[in-house]
Amino acid sequence: EPRALTQLMNEFLTPITAVIQAHRGTIDKYMGDAVMAFWGAPVADRNHAQHAVQAARDMIARMRELGPEFRARGWPELAIGVGVSSGVMNVGNMGSRFRTAYTVLGDVVNLGSRLEGLTKYYGVNIIVSANTAAAADAFLYRELDLVRVKGKHEPVAIYEPLGLKSAVDAGTAEAAQGFKLALAAYRAQRWDEAEERLDDLSLLERRTLYSLYKERVRHFRAEGPGAAWDGVWVHENK
């Protein structure tokens, strides 16, 4: 019902907003059930990428905490995906003579939106760009893919933050290294090795990511990737 939906949205967006603000983020806008935020303006923040990634991880943790409460109230348990992109963008008051908004524009902004849209495809909660991973280097990352997203010609490497390097457990670090080796074999077209490594990883944990790559390996082994294949996966959807 409309009144219940309004209440649910407020109960969802309030804690998410609190996490963003706690990590020095600026709320840009609410778009339905989505939140857009940015770091580094209007107050400069040298550690903007670090704060953005930590905010993303804390948002995921907060949503998990809210799950039992939502279920108890008869509401659906919500899950979110977060995309983070870092770089130069245009920031300021933009709009018309009737209404303006303090917001950001640019390719970097659009990439962040595309990355959020890819979280479901790869079965992960957070995807960050290579620039973000390089700037927020206190975290351990798993490279997910080399992709060409809609609206961009150059391929970009995308990563999943797994936690602070100082706090990641041995099993998570081992799985990340195992997937790194599987990805290297996949890109070198060593299909048998890639499949074997993915099978080993699947025994440790069930992940959409492993199943996705195993399906790619089976396809390329049967059809061949073509002489011009560069390992880039093209995503046509936003």
Side-chain angles (χ1 to χ4, degrees):
E1 295 297 323
R3 193 179 301 275
L5 174 61
T6 300
Q7 187 178 8
L8 182 148
M9 291 303 300
N10 291 341
E11 294 289 336
F12 158 56
L13 293 173
T14 296
I16 293 297
T17 299
V19 169
I20 292 170
Q21 292 181 335
H23 290 286
R24 302 182 59 178
T26 299
I27 299 296
D28 184 295
K29 61 176 71 74
Y30 300 107
M31 302 169 288
D33 62 351
V35 184
M36 178 177 170
F38 55 87
W39 277 255
V43 180
D45 181 2
R46 293 182 60 186
N47 296 317
H48 54 84
Q50 180 83 12
H51 291 147
V53 175
Q54 189 58 58
R57 288 182 52 80
D58 286 354
M59 281 190 282
I60 300 300
R62 188 71 183 96
M63 290 309 302
R64 288 173 177 156
E65 292 172 357
L66 287 172
E69 178 184 331
F70 277 28
R71 287 197 305 272
R73 300 172 72 167
W75 293 349
E77 186 172 353
L78 304 181
I80 62 171
V82 184
V84 185
S85 174
S86 304
V88 176
M89 60 194 74
N90 192 319
V91 60
N93 290 316
M94 305 177 201
S96 68
R97 65 187 179 92
F98 300 101
R99 181 181 179 184
T100 61
Y102 186 71
T103 188
V104 287
L105 294 175
D107 284 345
V108 173
V109 182
N110 296 336
L111 177 58
S113 176
R114 300 292 186 269
L115 298 184
E116 183 274 329
L118 291 179
T119 54
K120 286 184 179 180
Y121 176 80
Y122 290 96
V124 299
N125 296 313
I126 307 167
I127 296 180
V128 309
S129 69
N131 283 350
T132 300
D137 59 0
F139 292 92
L140 176 68
Y141 296 92
R142 185 199 326 262
E143 183 180 357
L144 298 173
D145 209 350
L146 187 61
V147 302
R148 186 175 291 109
V149 297
K150 188 175 180 63
K152 291 186 70 69
H153 178 70
E154 293 299 320
V156 293
I158 59 174
Y159 298 83
E160 176 193 10
L162 302 175
L164 290 168
K165 292 177 181 176
S166 59
V168 168
D169 62 83
T172 299
E174 182 181 350
Q177 179 62 23
F179 185 72
K180 181 179 180 180
L181 296 174
L183 193 59
Y186 163 81
R187 289 173 175 167
Q189 301 184 38
R190 299 194 302 269
W191 310 126
D192 290 344
E193 178 188 344
E195 187 172 47
E196 182 178 349
R197 292 189 180 279
L198 291 166
D199 285 340
D200 289 343
L201 289 167
S202 297
L203 292 176
L204 299 176
E205 55 177 351
R206 294 176 61 86
R207 290 184 63 98
T208 299
L209 181 66
Y210 304 152
S211 299
L212 185 152
Y213 271 93
K214 285 198 285 186
E215 181 60 34
R216 287 189 193 177
V217 167
R218 286 192 288 268
H219 171 76
F220 285 140
R221 183 190 282 122
E223 303 292 337
W229 187 68
D230 56 2
V232 177
W233 194 261
V234 179
H235 289 278
E236 297 291 351
N237 297 324
K238 291 184 177 181

